Amino acid sequence: MSLPVAVFASGSGSNLQAILDYHASLDAPPWRVELAVSDQEEAKALERARRAGIRSRSLPVAGRSSGDVAGETLDILRFSGIGFIALAGYLRLIPADVVGAFRERMVNIHPALLPAFGGKGMYGMRVHEAVLAAGARVTGPTAHFVDEEYDRGPIIAQWPVPVRAGDDPHTLAARVLRVEHLLYPRVVDHLARALSRGCRPAPFSPRGTAFLANARATADVERAISAGFTED
């Protein structure tokens, strides 16, 4: 039976699209994106979901109590039978009751090498500005489990991305996002496959068979490994 997955996003949903595209490239994966949720009614992520034939829901958060948001969130997830959640540019803190209900079944992608450059208020271009201000020579995305604090859950996978001389926040963001689009769908696939079998996931390996799921993915990833993600 296919595991229903929900993707939460606040903005454009490019990581949602990357997950959908990767799913479409797989041969009968045992999971599917069933639902897209956003705290922004006009989020482009919801438009992407609707174009893909996926149910979408807006979930207002501003001005509401954590308990109220948690109750509505759990109702939405239970109605859809969701077994796994991927946060993809979702900027709200997940209520503790939802975290508890989906412990080790909810993941996030952050555009820096945690634990550096994470925490409340560290999202989007702010992260890349902080990386450059600190003089860091390497950055990159981190996939991690979600807990009750921003960006503090156990790390699943990281992928270093070089910071180049002359980078500004926009050029650096574009390079990291390219890597996110390769890494995150494969992390989602790796974990969702384990959950669909009712077992704990093995440690994630970027060179594992779950990561290199088809010829095109293999070529993309191996090229990225050898280039160190320094290509434009």
Side-chain angles (χ1 to χ4, degrees), residues 133-191:
R137 298 183 64 182
V138 66
T139 184
T142 299
H144 65 95
F145 288 110
V146 175
D147 66 8
E148 290 82 0
E149 299 182 62
Y150 284 110
D151 305 325
R152 294 298 298 271
I155 291 171
I156 302 164
Q158 295 180 306
W159 205 320
V161 174
V163 179
R164 296 179 185 170
D167 262 334
D168 61 35
H170 297 280
T171 60
L172 187 58
R175 190 176 313 116
V176 173
L177 186 62
R178 176 178 172 229
V179 181
E180 288 182 39
H181 291 169
L182 278 171
L183 178 63
Y184 198 38
R186 291 163 172 85
V187 169
V188 169
D189 179 57
H190 176 77
L191 299 175

Side-chain angles (χ1 to χ4, degrees), residues 10-180:
S10 294
S12 70
S14 69
N15 269 304
L16 165 62
Q17 190 65 57
I19 291 168
L20 294 176
D21 291 345
Y22 186 70
H23 181 273
S25 75
L26 301 175
D27 183 16
W31 60 276
R32 68 189 185 281
V33 178
E34 179 74 18
L35 177 69
V37 177
S38 180
D39 60 310
Q40 303 296 320
E41 187 175 0
E42 301 301 321
K44 291 183 179 179
L46 298 183
E47 295 179 18
R48 290 181 189 269
R50 287 190 285 267
R51 288 198 300 268
I54 294 165
R55 293 196 311 109
S56 62
R57 284 289 303 265
S58 61
L59 179 64
V61 173
R64 301 174 66 188
S65 70
S66 178
D68 189 24
V69 172
E72 185 176 359
T73 303
L74 289 171
D75 285 345
I76 291 170
L77 296 172
R78 287 165 180 159
F79 179 80
S80 299
I82 299 300
F84 181 70
I85 301 171
L87 307 186
Y90 189 68
L91 303 183
R92 301 288 184 173
L93 185 66
I94 300 295
D97 286 350
V98 180
V99 173
F102 284 85
R103 186 77 63 186
E104 296 188 346
R105 293 188 294 138
M106 178 162 38
V107 295
N108 181 49
I109 187 77
H110 183 76
L113 297 176
L114 295 174
F117 310 110
K120 185 176 181 179
M122 292 299 290
Y123 60 85
M125 210 57 65
R126 296 181 182 182
V127 174
H128 307 296
E129 290 169 352
V131 167
L132 292 171
R137 298 183 64 182
V138 66
T139 184
T142 299
H144 65 95
F145 288 110
V146 175
D147 66 8
E148 290 82 0
E149 299 182 62
Y150 284 110
D151 305 325
R152 294 298 298 271
I155 291 171
I156 302 164
Q158 295 180 306
W159 205 320
V161 174
V163 179
R164 296 179 185 170
D167 262 334
D168 61 35
H170 297 280
T171 60
L172 187 58
R175 190 176 313 116
V176 173
L177 186 62
R178 176 178 172 229
V179 181
E180 288 182 39

